[in-house]
Amino acid sequence: MAQEITVIGTGYVGLVSAVGLSDFGNRVTGVDIDAEKIERLSRGEPVIYELGLEDYLKRNLDSGRLKFSTDIQGSIAKSDIVFIAVGTPESDDGSADMSFLRHAIEDIAEGMDGFTVVVTKSTVPVGTNRWIGDQLRKRAPQGQFAVVSNPEFLREGKAVQDFFHPDRLVIGYDTERPEGARARGLMEDVYRALYLIETPIVWCNLETAELIKYASNAFLATKITFINQMANLAEACGADIHAIAKTMGMDGRISPKFLHPGPGYGGSCFPKDTKAIVSTGDNVGVEMSVIREVIRANDAQKVRVAEKIEKALGGLHDKTVAVLGLAFKAETDDIRESPAIRIVEHLLEGGAHVRAHDPEAMDNFKKIFGDRISYHDDEFTAIEGSDCLAILTEWNEFRNLDLEKAKRLMKGSCIVDARNTLDREQAIALGFSYTGIGR
Ligand code: UDX
């Protein structure tokens, strides 16, 4: 049976979830305090760029199953299920900032009417869902609600695809209480469409679901950091990291994914979640030394790339560096924790001039760097007159960069390719001094 759902928060996770859940046949209202955003979404404007999102948004608005509203409590009152998808940004001490979540709990406590399942989509520290239950129990009688943890594993740029074809669905619930079993029944209805295409569904307790999310992200961050460090070793020993990573990946126990060396991971999840898991460990007296080291090594990797540029140029003072790629990965305008930030900062501190280009992320980069660097609409204007060309994001268009043209336009002849995107042999044949990662 289709369910009546409210999704609190129309950020990246909330919006994709609202659109996806309505496409599964549920009646969904996405709510937010930002009236302008709600108005734009109601008109079918997706607000963020995600491949495929606009079509799904329009289709579900047209069907009448999807709505957007600022009436948070009104919407909660008529819902059977409320998804919380508000942000939990990193606070100063590395722990997750829970203030948006607290507001959402207040709204739910005020608004809920009849049996309500409260589902947490936001990434929250272990124990938070138990705490949400305690908060609600103070306000609503026993048995009137149930708390569920349903973490998301959406990748930016592939969020729509990930929502409709997840590797697995994780649903944590209060296995000890009768209302937990009732919630499980309703969640089965919500995700019937995924059940029908045989998506594995993992039912577990609340703490397990919370930790699955952190463990998955921390493991992927560790895998990237491992291959980055191995790349540094390969470089020092005269080995080729690509052959190493490819061959490691042939071992089914390892898998070839997330073994691409680069300038370090960034984005809205890995940096925040690795710090949060260390902080959770501290709180319960368990030393998460592996992840602590991953955080440190990842930071060092960014600096290492900056130092490669410095070394290739024999010093930074008054040198001009063309930086191609500012986003934390390709296919997004997101620069949160992007390695480019740290690297450009290092170049400027050393007295270099930076000429930057990114297909999507320049506006966001400008908000941090302003006119301390120059921005260029295409690769070649950025490259013109530069001493060094540095590639920091693996955008497809950089893979086929016309190196002959680049060589003619540049003043110097250094390339630092932090994503190993270019044809190394061709670059060398053209007279470039080429530095990659781990080759
Ligand atoms: C990630 C998780 O994949 C997703 O499941 C979770 O819900 C949110 O965090 P996302 O941040 O969108 O998604 O990006 P992802 O594609 O995982 O890449 C993260 C970072 O790792 C990027 O900076 C990327 O460039 C880097 N990376 C990834 C590598 O350096 N090497 C790799 O092999 C893979």
Side-chain angles (χ1 to χ4, degrees):
M1 202 178 81
Q3 300 296 331
E4 194 74 47
I5 295 174
T6 293
V7 178
I8 306 180
T10 55
Y12 155 78
V13 172
L15 179 56
V16 174
S17 303
V19 169
L21 291 168
S22 61
D23 207 72
F24 290 162
N26 300 289
R27 287 178 303 278
V28 180
T29 309
V31 298
D32 205 294
I33 45 170
D34 185 339
E36 192 209 317
K37 203 166 167 190
I38 289 298
E39 206 175 292
R40 287 173 61 193
L41 289 170
S42 303
R43 284 199 303 265
E45 261 184 63
V47 192
I48 52 162
Y49 176 73
E50 264 302 323
L51 192 67
L53 184 62
E54 190 164 0
D55 289 346
Y56 277 105
L57 173 66
K58 291 203 165 118
R59 172 162 120 188
N60 288 288
L61 283 169
D62 289 347
S63 75
R65 284 192 304 266
L66 178 62
K67 279 187 300 207
F68 292 94
S69 166
T70 50
D71 179 12
I72 302 181
Q73 290 182 15
S75 176
I76 291 168
K78 59 180 175 44
S79 293
D80 312 303
I81 302 175
V82 180
F83 279 80
I84 304 174
V86 296
T88 50
E90 183 188 323
S91 55
D92 294 339
D93 65 356
S95 64
D97 173 355
M98 309 292 274
S99 51
F100 298 116
L101 187 92
R102 264 189 221 108
H103 278 290
I105 303 301
E106 288 284 310
D107 284 330
I108 295 169
E110 292 291 322
M112 71 181 173
D113 185 8
F115 183 73
T116 308
V117 182
V118 179
V119 187
T120 315
K121 268 254 165 249
S122 310
T123 302
V124 292
V126 186
T128 304
N129 281 287
R130 221 30 94 181
W131 171 83
I132 292 174
D134 293 342
Q135 297 304 306
L136 293 176
R137 221 161 281 122
K138 286 183 197 156
R139 316 281 279 268
Q142 188 103 327
Q144 214 204 318
F145 67 91
V147 178
V148 163
S149 165
N150 174 211
E152 56 81 19
F153 300 92
L154 309 175
R155 287 166 298 174
E156 281 184 41
K158 297 208 168 72
V160 173
Q161 183 198 324
D162 285 349
F163 193 89
F164 289 112
H165 302 279
D167 289 336
R168 76 306 207 187
L169 202 59
V170 176
I171 305 182
Y173 64 106
D174 197 337
T175 46
E176 316 271 289
R177 292 176 189 273
E179 53 274 23
R182 190 169 168 192
R184 178 173 168 157
L186 289 172
M187 292 305 284
E188 278 171 2
D189 283 344
V190 168
Y191 283 117
R192 189 150 309 274
L194 292 182
Y195 173 76
L196 294 174
I197 56 167
E198 296 183 4
T199 306
I201 304 185
V202 179
W203 299 97
C204 54
N205 72 12
L206 293 168
E207 289 75 13
T208 306
E210 291 166 336
L211 209 46
I212 285 172
K213 166 72 194 222
Y214 278 113
S216 303
N217 275 355
F219 184 78
L220 292 172
T222 305
K223 204 172 173 190
I224 297 167
T225 307
F226 177 89
I227 206 67
N228 283 342
Q229 214 163 64
M230 207 45 82
N232 300 341
L233 185 63
E235 222 166 83
C237 301
D240 178 355
I241 193 63
H242 281 271
I244 296 171
K246 200 171 159 199
T247 316
M248 281 173 67
M250 289 170 184
D251 187 327
R253 296 169 301 178
I254 297 176
S255 122
K257 291 182 183 158
F258 276 71
L259 283 182
H260 303 287
Y265 61 76
S268 62
C269 288
F270 290 170
K272 167 171 86 72
D273 293 351
T274 42
K275 285 181 198 155
I277 202 167
V278 167
S279 151
T280 300
D282 287 345
N283 291 340
V284 296
V286 177
E287 172 53 33
M288 301 304 287
S289 58
V290 174
I291 303 170
R292 204 185 286 279
E293 181 53 27
V294 163
I295 298 167
R296 196 204 60 75
N298 189 59
D299 203 44
Q301 186 70 6
K302 299 177 185 175
V303 176
R304 194 179 158 94
V305 170
E307 286 170 353
K308 273 176 188 259
I309 299 172
E310 186 168 355
K311 191 167 164 225
L313 285 169
L316 291 171
H317 187 70
D318 235 10
K319 297 284 169 52
T320 301
V321 183
V323 170
L324 300 191
L326 304 171
F328 83 96
K329 66 173 189 180
E331 311 301 330
T332 176
D333 66 353
D334 199 338
I335 59 156
R336 281 177 285 178
E337 302 282 337
S338 174
I341 297 176
R342 189 85 163 79
I343 294 166
V344 168
E345 203 61 76
H346 184 101
L347 299 178
L348 293 177
E349 276 164 18
H353 310 286
V354 174
R355 300 170 65 83
H357 167 72
D358 187 286
E360 297 290 340
M362 289 200 289
D363 286 345
N364 284 333
F365 216 73
K366 248 179 225 170
K367 288 180 198 150
I368 299 182
F369 284 89
D371 57 10
R372 294 165 66 209
I373 66 173
S374 64
Y375 306 88
H376 304 271
D377 287 335
D378 72 283
E379 297 89 315
F380 295 107
T381 4
I383 287 169
E384 206 171 344
S386 63
D387 298 292
C388 175
L389 159 60
I391 298 193
L392 303 186
T393 314
E394 71 287 22
W395 285 97
N396 267 334
E397 47 252 73
F398 302 157
R399 290 183 203 279
N400 292 318
L401 193 73
D402 182 343
L403 286 179
E404 275 186 55
K405 187 169 172 188
K407 187 84 189 4
R408 280 199 307 276
L409 289 170
M410 281 172 68
K411 191 160 81 195
S413 58
C414 292
I415 292 180
V416 175
D417 183 4
R419 301 277 184 172
N420 293 347
T421 50
L422 299 176
D423 182 338
R424 177 174 176 267
E425 275 66 43
Q426 192 205 3
I428 292 168
L430 285 168
F432 281 107
S433 79
Y434 176 94
T435 313
I437 304 278
R439 328 195 251 179

mmCIF file of all heavy atoms in Angstrom, residues 12 152-156 213 217 220 224 228 257-262 264-270 328-329 339 394 419, ligand 1:
data_model
loop_
_atom_site.group_PDB
_atom_site.id
_atom_site.type_symbol
_atom_site.label_atom_id
_atom_site.label_comp_id
_atom_site.label_asym_id
_atom_site.label_seq_id
_atom_site.Cartn_x
_atom_site.Cartn_y
_atom_site.Cartn_z
ATOM 1 N N TYR A 12 20.268 18.005 -0.787
ATOM 2 C CA TYR A 12 20.607 17.013 -1.787
ATOM 3 C C TYR A 12 20.011 15.635 -1.477
ATOM 4 O O TYR A 12 19.324 15.031 -2.308
ATOM 5 C CB TYR A 12 22.128 17.065 -1.866
ATOM 6 C CG TYR A 12 22.836 15.875 -2.331
ATOM 7 C CD1 TYR A 12 22.871 15.588 -3.681
ATOM 8 C CD2 TYR A 12 23.492 15.067 -1.431
ATOM 9 C CE1 TYR A 12 23.553 14.480 -4.113
ATOM 10 C CE2 TYR A 12 24.173 13.976 -1.857
ATOM 11 C CZ TYR A 12 24.204 13.680 -3.203
ATOM 12 O OH TYR A 12 24.870 12.593 -3.618
ATOM 13 N N GLU A 152 21.536 6.669 3.804
ATOM 14 C CA GLU A 152 21.651 6.706 2.337
ATOM 15 C C GLU A 152 23.104 6.495 1.925
ATOM 16 O O GLU A 152 24.015 6.799 2.682
ATOM 17 C CB GLU A 152 21.107 8.037 1.810
ATOM 18 C CG GLU A 152 21.745 9.299 2.404
ATOM 19 C CD GLU A 152 23.065 9.670 1.789
ATOM 20 O OE1 GLU A 152 23.349 9.190 0.686
ATOM 21 O OE2 GLU A 152 23.809 10.442 2.431
ATOM 22 N N PHE A 153 23.271 5.987 0.714
ATOM 23 C CA PHE A 153 24.626 5.786 0.186
ATOM 24 C C PHE A 153 24.754 6.465 -1.178
ATOM 25 O O PHE A 153 25.373 5.939 -2.095
ATOM 26 C CB PHE A 153 24.920 4.277 0.060
ATOM 27 C CG PHE A 153 24.845 3.548 1.379
ATOM 28 C CD1 PHE A 153 23.669 2.961 1.792
ATOM 29 C CD2 PHE A 153 25.956 3.485 2.208
ATOM 30 C CE1 PHE A 153 23.591 2.300 3.013
ATOM 31 C CE2 PHE A 153 25.885 2.831 3.430
ATOM 32 C CZ PHE A 153 24.702 2.234 3.841
ATOM 33 N N LEU A 154 24.096 7.628 -1.321
ATOM 34 C CA LEU A 154 24.036 8.297 -2.621
ATOM 35 C C LEU A 154 25.356 8.988 -2.943
ATOM 36 O O LEU A 154 25.909 9.696 -2.113
ATOM 37 C CB LEU A 154 22.924 9.352 -2.617
ATOM 38 C CG LEU A 154 21.540 8.895 -2.152
ATOM 39 C CD1 LEU A 154 20.584 10.076 -2.091
ATOM 40 C CD2 LEU A 154 21.002 7.810 -3.069
ATOM 41 N N ARG A 155 25.827 8.770 -4.179
ATOM 42 C CA ARG A 155 27.015 9.499 -4.625
ATOM 43 C C ARG A 155 26.580 10.743 -5.359
ATOM 44 O O ARG A 155 25.623 10.699 -6.144
ATOM 45 C CB ARG A 155 27.823 8.651 -5.612
ATOM 46 C CG ARG A 155 28.571 7.504 -4.997
ATOM 47 C CD ARG A 155 29.040 6.556 -6.069
ATOM 48 N NE ARG A 155 27.915 5.981 -6.787
ATOM 49 C CZ ARG A 155 28.011 5.199 -7.868
ATOM 50 N NH1 ARG A 155 29.186 4.917 -8.372
ATOM 51 N NH2 ARG A 155 26.941 4.705 -8.450
ATOM 52 N N GLU A 156 27.261 11.839 -5.148
ATOM 53 C CA GLU A 156 26.935 13.053 -5.898
ATOM 54 C C GLU A 156 27.143 12.795 -7.375
ATOM 55 O O GLU A 156 28.130 12.155 -7.758
ATOM 56 C CB GLU A 156 27.827 14.212 -5.453
ATOM 57 C CG GLU A 156 27.352 14.818 -4.167
ATOM 58 C CD GLU A 156 28.174 16.024 -3.779
ATOM 59 O OE1 GLU A 156 28.531 16.836 -4.647
ATOM 60 O OE2 GLU A 156 28.458 16.138 -2.581
ATOM 61 N N LYS A 213 26.649 2.694 7.977
ATOM 62 C CA LYS A 213 26.909 3.860 7.130
ATOM 63 C C LYS A 213 28.328 4.405 7.353
ATOM 64 O O LYS A 213 29.091 4.622 6.416
ATOM 65 C CB LYS A 213 25.855 4.937 7.434
ATOM 66 C CG LYS A 213 26.148 6.298 6.909
ATOM 67 C CD LYS A 213 26.002 6.386 5.398
ATOM 68 C CE LYS A 213 26.620 7.645 4.884
ATOM 69 N NZ LYS A 213 25.892 8.338 3.888
ATOM 70 N N ASN A 217 31.627 4.257 4.645
ATOM 71 C CA ASN A 217 32.349 5.436 4.178
ATOM 72 C C ASN A 217 33.799 5.445 4.666
ATOM 73 O O ASN A 217 34.712 5.797 3.918
ATOM 74 C CB ASN A 217 31.625 6.718 4.614
ATOM 75 C CG ASN A 217 30.520 7.088 3.629
ATOM 76 O OD1 ASN A 217 30.360 6.447 2.595
ATOM 77 N ND2 ASN A 217 29.765 8.114 3.950
ATOM 78 N N LEU A 220 35.836 2.994 2.537
ATOM 79 C CA LEU A 220 36.164 3.514 1.202
ATOM 80 C C LEU A 220 37.254 4.590 1.296
ATOM 81 O O LEU A 220 38.175 4.625 0.479
ATOM 82 C CB LEU A 220 34.902 4.079 0.526
ATOM 83 C CG LEU A 220 33.842 3.034 0.152
ATOM 84 C CD1 LEU A 220 32.569 3.698 -0.331
ATOM 85 C CD2 LEU A 220 34.384 2.068 -0.905
ATOM 86 N N ILE A 224 40.999 4.353 -0.525
ATOM 87 C CA ILE A 224 41.613 5.408 -1.353
ATOM 88 C C ILE A 224 42.958 5.823 -0.759
ATOM 89 O O ILE A 224 43.959 5.964 -1.462
ATOM 90 C CB ILE A 224 40.692 6.656 -1.434
ATOM 91 C CG1 ILE A 224 39.371 6.314 -2.118
ATOM 92 C CG2 ILE A 224 41.379 7.808 -2.152
ATOM 93 C CD1 ILE A 224 38.307 7.394 -1.957
ATOM 94 N N ASN A 228 46.688 5.607 -2.385
ATOM 95 C CA ASN A 228 47.492 6.819 -2.531
ATOM 96 C C ASN A 228 48.881 6.627 -1.922
ATOM 97 O O ASN A 228 49.892 7.011 -2.511
ATOM 98 C CB ASN A 228 46.794 8.017 -1.869
ATOM 99 C CG ASN A 228 45.657 8.558 -2.729
ATOM 100 O OD1 ASN A 228 45.590 8.283 -3.927
ATOM 101 N ND2 ASN A 228 44.769 9.330 -2.114
ATOM 102 N N LYS A 257 37.346 -1.392 -7.477
ATOM 103 C CA LYS A 257 36.775 -0.053 -7.262
ATOM 104 C C LYS A 257 37.462 0.703 -6.126
ATOM 105 O O LYS A 257 37.928 0.097 -5.172
ATOM 106 C CB LYS A 257 35.286 -0.175 -6.976
ATOM 107 C CG LYS A 257 34.523 -0.619 -8.207
ATOM 108 C CD LYS A 257 33.054 -0.691 -7.949
ATOM 109 C CE LYS A 257 32.359 -1.222 -9.194
ATOM 110 N NZ LYS A 257 31.058 -1.797 -8.850
ATOM 111 N N PHE A 258 37.453 2.013 -6.265
ATOM 112 C CA PHE A 258 38.058 2.896 -5.251
ATOM 113 C C PHE A 258 39.549 2.615 -5.041
ATOM 114 O O PHE A 258 40.070 2.721 -3.941
ATOM 115 C CB PHE A 258 37.268 2.847 -3.928
ATOM 116 C CG PHE A 258 36.091 3.784 -3.977
ATOM 117 C CD1 PHE A 258 35.006 3.496 -4.783
ATOM 118 C CD2 PHE A 258 36.094 4.986 -3.284
ATOM 119 C CE1 PHE A 258 33.940 4.376 -4.900
ATOM 120 C CE2 PHE A 258 35.042 5.872 -3.395
ATOM 121 C CZ PHE A 258 33.964 5.564 -4.197
ATOM 122 N N LEU A 259 40.207 2.268 -6.136
ATOM 123 C CA LEU A 259 41.661 2.096 -6.080
ATOM 124 C C LEU A 259 42.341 3.054 -7.051
ATOM 125 O O LEU A 259 43.411 2.747 -7.574
ATOM 126 C CB LEU A 259 42.031 0.644 -6.412
ATOM 127 C CG LEU A 259 41.812 -0.405 -5.311
ATOM 128 C CD1 LEU A 259 42.269 -1.780 -5.787
ATOM 129 C CD2 LEU A 259 42.546 -0.039 -4.018
ATOM 130 N N HIS A 260 41.705 4.187 -7.331
ATOM 131 C CA HIS A 260 42.342 5.166 -8.221
ATOM 132 C C HIS A 260 43.126 6.169 -7.394
ATOM 133 O O HIS A 260 42.539 6.870 -6.569
ATOM 134 C CB HIS A 260 41.293 5.914 -9.055
ATOM 135 C CG HIS A 260 40.444 4.985 -9.858
ATOM 136 N ND1 HIS A 260 40.928 4.338 -10.965
ATOM 137 C CD2 HIS A 260 39.175 4.566 -9.685
ATOM 138 C CE1 HIS A 260 39.981 3.560 -11.445
ATOM 139 N NE2 HIS A 260 38.896 3.671 -10.686
ATOM 140 N N PRO A 261 44.438 6.248 -7.609
ATOM 141 C CA PRO A 261 45.220 7.201 -6.829
ATOM 142 C C PRO A 261 44.919 8.627 -7.272
ATOM 143 O O PRO A 261 44.497 8.860 -8.404
ATOM 144 C CB PRO A 261 46.661 6.817 -7.161
ATOM 145 C CG PRO A 261 46.591 6.194 -8.504
ATOM 146 C CD PRO A 261 45.251 5.521 -8.602
ATOM 147 N N GLY A 262 45.099 9.561 -6.391
ATOM 148 C CA GLY A 262 44.818 10.953 -6.724
ATOM 149 C C GLY A 262 45.339 11.902 -5.664
ATOM 150 O O GLY A 262 46.210 11.540 -4.862
ATOM 151 N N GLY A 264 43.933 12.894 -3.030
ATOM 152 C CA GLY A 264 43.238 12.739 -1.739
ATOM 153 C C GLY A 264 41.741 12.879 -1.928
ATOM 154 O O GLY A 264 41.289 13.536 -2.855
ATOM 155 N N TYR A 265 40.977 12.230 -1.060
ATOM 156 C CA TYR A 265 39.510 12.335 -1.174
ATOM 157 C C TYR A 265 39.023 13.656 -0.597
ATOM 158 O O TYR A 265 39.669 14.253 0.262
ATOM 159 C CB TYR A 265 38.816 11.151 -0.481
ATOM 160 C CG TYR A 265 39.099 11.040 1.017
ATOM 161 C CD1 TYR A 265 38.482 11.893 1.933
ATOM 162 C CD2 TYR A 265 39.999 10.115 1.510
ATOM 163 C CE1 TYR A 265 38.741 11.816 3.294
ATOM 164 C CE2 TYR A 265 40.264 10.019 2.872
ATOM 165 C CZ TYR A 265 39.627 10.880 3.757
ATOM 166 O OH TYR A 265 39.898 10.811 5.100
ATOM 167 N N GLY A 266 37.865 14.096 -1.113
ATOM 168 C CA GLY A 266 37.215 15.292 -0.559
ATOM 169 C C GLY A 266 35.720 15.048 -0.550
ATOM 170 O O GLY A 266 35.283 13.905 -0.507
ATOM 171 N N GLY A 267 34.938 16.137 -0.602
ATOM 172 C CA GLY A 267 33.487 15.991 -0.683
ATOM 173 C C GLY A 267 32.784 16.208 0.639
ATOM 174 O O GLY A 267 33.404 16.533 1.650
ATOM 175 N N SER A 268 31.478 15.995 0.610
ATOM 176 C CA SER A 268 30.664 16.316 1.781
ATOM 177 C C SER A 268 30.572 15.145 2.756
ATOM 178 O O SER A 268 30.052 15.310 3.855
ATOM 179 C CB SER A 268 29.257 16.698 1.331
ATOM 180 O OG SER A 268 28.665 15.602 0.680
ATOM 181 N N CYS A 269 31.046 13.963 2.356
ATOM 182 C CA CYS A 269 30.842 12.792 3.232
ATOM 183 C C CYS A 269 32.117 12.238 3.860
ATOM 184 O O CYS A 269 32.217 12.180 5.080
ATOM 185 C CB CYS A 269 30.158 11.675 2.450
ATOM 186 S SG CYS A 269 28.445 12.034 2.102
ATOM 187 N N PHE A 270 33.072 11.814 3.037
ATOM 188 C CA PHE A 270 34.236 11.110 3.593
ATOM 189 C C PHE A 270 34.970 11.933 4.659
ATOM 190 O O PHE A 270 35.244 11.414 5.748
ATOM 191 C CB PHE A 270 35.200 10.682 2.488
ATOM 192 C CG PHE A 270 34.684 9.578 1.590
ATOM 193 C CD1 PHE A 270 35.347 9.220 0.437
ATOM 194 C CD2 PHE A 270 33.526 8.886 1.917
ATOM 195 C CE1 PHE A 270 34.873 8.199 -0.380
ATOM 196 C CE2 PHE A 270 33.025 7.869 1.111
ATOM 197 C CZ PHE A 270 33.714 7.527 -0.045
ATOM 198 N N PHE A 328 35.655 18.608 -6.133
ATOM 199 C CA PHE A 328 36.296 17.502 -5.391
ATOM 200 C C PHE A 328 36.322 16.219 -6.196
ATOM 201 O O PHE A 328 37.096 15.308 -5.911
ATOM 202 C CB PHE A 328 35.645 17.299 -4.022
ATOM 203 C CG PHE A 328 34.389 16.466 -4.011
ATOM 204 C CD1 PHE A 328 34.445 15.104 -3.718
ATOM 205 C CD2 PHE A 328 33.152 17.039 -4.276
ATOM 206 C CE1 PHE A 328 33.289 14.329 -3.698
ATOM 207 C CE2 PHE A 328 31.995 16.256 -4.258
ATOM 208 C CZ PHE A 328 32.063 14.904 -3.969
ATOM 209 N N LYS A 329 35.448 16.143 -7.221
ATOM 210 C CA LYS A 329 35.495 15.038 -8.184
ATOM 211 C C LYS A 329 34.796 15.536 -9.444
ATOM 212 O O LYS A 329 34.203 16.627 -9.427
ATOM 213 C CB LYS A 329 34.834 13.781 -7.624
ATOM 214 C CG LYS A 329 33.326 13.918 -7.398
ATOM 215 C CD LYS A 329 32.733 12.574 -7.016
ATOM 216 C CE LYS A 329 31.218 12.659 -7.008
ATOM 217 N NZ LYS A 329 30.582 11.393 -6.654
ATOM 218 N N PRO A 339 40.476 18.799 -2.718
ATOM 219 C CA PRO A 339 41.931 18.935 -2.626
ATOM 220 C C PRO A 339 42.423 20.234 -3.271
ATOM 221 O O PRO A 339 43.422 20.805 -2.837
ATOM 222 C CB PRO A 339 42.455 17.719 -3.397
ATOM 223 C CG PRO A 339 41.352 16.724 -3.366
ATOM 224 C CD PRO A 339 40.067 17.501 -3.296
ATOM 225 N N GLU A 394 39.278 14.835 -12.344
ATOM 226 C CA GLU A 394 39.306 13.952 -13.519
ATOM 227 C C GLU A 394 38.138 14.196 -14.484
ATOM 228 O O GLU A 394 37.460 13.267 -14.913
ATOM 229 C CB GLU A 394 39.372 12.486 -13.070
ATOM 230 C CG GLU A 394 38.119 11.880 -12.436
ATOM 231 C CD GLU A 394 37.805 12.345 -11.021
ATOM 232 O OE1 GLU A 394 38.265 13.423 -10.598
ATOM 233 O OE2 GLU A 394 37.053 11.633 -10.328
ATOM 234 N N ARG A 419 45.607 13.250 -11.297
ATOM 235 C CA ARG A 419 44.595 12.190 -11.474
ATOM 236 C C ARG A 419 45.033 11.173 -12.527
ATOM 237 O O ARG A 419 44.241 10.333 -12.942
ATOM 238 C CB ARG A 419 43.261 12.801 -11.902
ATOM 239 C CG ARG A 419 42.686 13.802 -10.931
ATOM 240 C CD ARG A 419 41.928 13.118 -9.806
ATOM 241 N NE ARG A 419 41.297 14.104 -8.942
ATOM 242 C CZ ARG A 419 40.455 13.786 -7.971
ATOM 243 N NH1 ARG A 419 40.146 12.524 -7.728
ATOM 244 N NH2 ARG A 419 39.931 14.720 -7.206
HETATM 245 C C1 UDX B 1 30.509 9.223 -1.113
HETATM 246 C C2 UDX B 1 30.051 7.759 -1.075
HETATM 247 O O1 UDX B 1 30.492 7.090 -2.262
HETATM 248 C C3 UDX B 1 28.545 7.667 -0.916
HETATM 249 O O2 UDX B 1 28.141 6.299 -0.802
HETATM 250 C C4 UDX B 1 28.155 8.438 0.344
HETATM 251 O O3 UDX B 1 26.780 8.390 0.580
HETATM 252 C C5 UDX B 1 28.624 9.883 0.253
HETATM 253 O O4 UDX B 1 30.046 9.912 0.031
HETATM 254 P P1 UDX B 1 30.645 11.167 -2.924
HETATM 255 O O5 UDX B 1 31.217 12.025 -1.840
HETATM 256 O O6 UDX B 1 29.593 11.744 -3.788
HETATM 257 O O7 UDX B 1 30.018 9.823 -2.303
HETATM 258 O O8 UDX B 1 31.864 10.773 -3.876
HETATM 259 P P2 UDX B 1 32.729 9.492 -4.276
HETATM 260 O O9 UDX B 1 32.504 9.214 -5.701
HETATM 261 O O10 UDX B 1 32.557 8.379 -3.337
HETATM 262 O O11 UDX B 1 34.218 10.105 -4.139
HETATM 263 C C6 UDX B 1 34.704 10.658 -2.918
HETATM 264 C C7 UDX B 1 36.101 11.200 -3.062
HETATM 265 O O12 UDX B 1 37.042 10.157 -3.238
HETATM 266 C C8 UDX B 1 36.329 12.139 -4.259
HETATM 267 O O13 UDX B 1 37.169 13.198 -3.871
HETATM 268 C C9 UDX B 1 36.995 11.257 -5.288
HETATM 269 O O14 UDX B 1 37.776 11.983 -6.213
HETATM 270 C C10 UDX B 1 37.842 10.386 -4.382
HETATM 271 N N1 UDX B 1 38.194 9.086 -4.982
HETATM 272 C C11 UDX B 1 37.222 8.150 -5.197
HETATM 273 C C12 UDX B 1 39.523 8.776 -5.261
HETATM 274 O O15 UDX B 1 40.426 9.610 -5.050
HETATM 275 N N2 UDX B 1 39.821 7.538 -5.746
HETATM 276 C C13 UDX B 1 38.889 6.585 -5.982
HETATM 277 O O16 UDX B 1 39.249 5.486 -6.414
HETATM 278 C C14 UDX B 1 37.538 6.916 -5.707
#
